[in-house]
Amino acid sequence: MTLRLNSALVAGVAATFTAHSATAGEFELPESAIFDAAHNRIIVSNIKGGFIDADGNGYLSSLNLDGTVMAQHWLTGLDAPKGMAILGDRLFVADVTGLVEVDLESASVVAVHHAQTAEFLNDVTTSDDAVYVSDLMTDTIWRLQDGSFEPWVQSTALSHPNGIAWDEDRLIVGSWGQGLREDFTTDAPGDVLAVDAASQDIEVIAEGVGNIDGVVMVDGRLIASDWVQGALIEVQDGATKVIGTFPAGLADIGTDGVNLLLPHMMEGRVQVLPLQ
């Protein structure tokens, strides 16, 4: 299977990142950045503590599109919030073993969907009628649909699934890699995978890409982030190309369709990086 990518790709790092980027700092382990189109803002998840600690210290921030902070503590009382996705007027946040449903208008929690056997819920994406969540530690993709939150796919072939993105009739998965160690390095780098929506069959799109944290689709392009190497990687027809390098800790990237939204977890900052 090949990716459904168009051929109008921007060539090289210099051509891709010509405009000046905007950076906001002073975040506390920012893990994910997402564009909220209805309110013309960026939402950032802050872990502020251990990656799986149920300590209530985690929170969400809101930013303007130029990277300036609107509200540092837009929503508080979370544990270790990571990936996020929007469906309708709701924001869904992966928070250790729960999927937190937030009203975007009021910034209030309306529900917490508990994943009873999960250990490390990580990234979130949506189709037209469902929400999907990766669990890094149990090789599982969970699905929330019609009020039911259950495992959708569970397989060692997912190799510690992290970043996920919906692509028409399949789920794109960026795996962290095999042989996960305590310092989050691996014996082998992760692959980019595709899970068929109807059959749940898993296919490899690109092998040995890296320790993948985030994946986004923007204008037909698939871009992934490597947390350990700090690399932005473009994937096309099974081939990969590094299009940007940064310090280690490049986490769950997002996009508003024009910019890439880059949370630099270990540096405590979020970068808005124009694609043109």
Side-chain angles (χ1 to χ4, degrees):
M1 178 182 291
T2 58
L3 277 174
R4 303 182 182 92
L5 300 179
N6 62 38
S7 59
L9 299 177
V10 181
V13 178
T16 305
F17 303 138
T18 54
H20 293 293
S21 65
T23 302
E26 299 185 4
F27 295 104
E28 298 173 282
L29 294 178
E31 203 281 337
S32 180
I34 187 173
F35 176 54
D36 176 8
H39 300 90
N40 204 37
R41 64 190 173 191
I42 300 165
I43 298 175
V44 177
S45 62
N46 296 260
I47 294 175
K48 193 187 177 182
F51 290 172
I52 57 172
D53 290 351
D55 53 18
N57 290 330
Y59 62 93
L60 307 182
S61 303
S62 62
L63 283 66
N64 292 303
L65 297 188
D66 62 2
T68 57
V69 177
M70 298 171 62
Q72 179 80 19
H73 297 90
W74 180 71
L75 176 68
T76 59
L78 301 176
D79 291 321
K82 300 179 184 70
M84 299 176 288
I86 292 172
L87 184 60
D89 60 357
R90 295 287 193 263
L91 173 71
F92 293 87
V93 186
D95 196 15
V96 189
T97 60
L99 180 64
V100 181
E101 184 175 347
V102 178
D103 182 273
L104 282 166
E105 187 66 34
S106 64
S108 60
V109 175
V110 297
V112 178
H113 308 276
H114 296 285
Q116 299 299 331
T117 60
E119 296 180 14
F120 197 113
L121 295 183
N122 205 313
D123 199 14
V124 189
T125 192
T126 61
S127 63
D128 291 336
D129 62 351
V131 182
Y132 297 83
V133 190
S134 62
D135 184 357
L136 183 75
M137 294 302 185
T138 67
D139 290 329
T140 305
I141 305 295
W142 289 73
R143 181 175 68 179
L144 174 65
Q145 188 173 46
D146 298 328
S148 178
F149 191 37
E150 298 177 345
W152 182 60
V153 176
Q154 187 169 27
S155 172
T156 56
L158 294 173
S159 297
H160 299 291
N162 195 326
I164 56 176
W166 193 257
D167 179 32
E168 296 183 9
D169 57 356
R170 60 184 184 165
L171 182 72
I172 303 299
V173 179
S175 71
W176 195 265
Q178 297 179 357
L180 182 62
R181 306 185 185 98
E182 289 186 2
D183 63 356
F184 284 92
T185 60
T186 56
D187 293 336
D191 306 324
V192 176
L193 311 165
V195 182
D196 183 82
S199 67
Q200 287 82 58
D201 289 341
I202 301 170
E203 297 192 45
V204 177
I205 293 174
E207 296 181 348
V209 176
N211 299 118
I212 302 173
D213 197 310
V215 291
V216 295
M217 300 289 298
V218 53
D219 291 334
R221 303 169 65 187
L222 172 59
I223 299 175
S225 59
D226 182 327
W227 195 97
V228 173
Q229 299 298 322
L232 278 176
I233 303 165
E234 187 171 79
V235 180
Q236 183 187 24
D237 296 331
T240 61
K241 176 177 65 175
V242 175
I243 60 172
T245 55
F246 306 88
L250 183 58
D252 185 16
I253 59 176
T255 183
D256 61 5
V258 178
N259 305 290
L260 288 176
L261 313 176
L262 309 182
H264 297 281
M265 182 187 293
M266 306 313 292
E267 296 187 326
R269 64 187 180 95
V270 174
Q271 187 174 11
V272 180
L273 191 65
L275 277 166
Q276 297 180 359

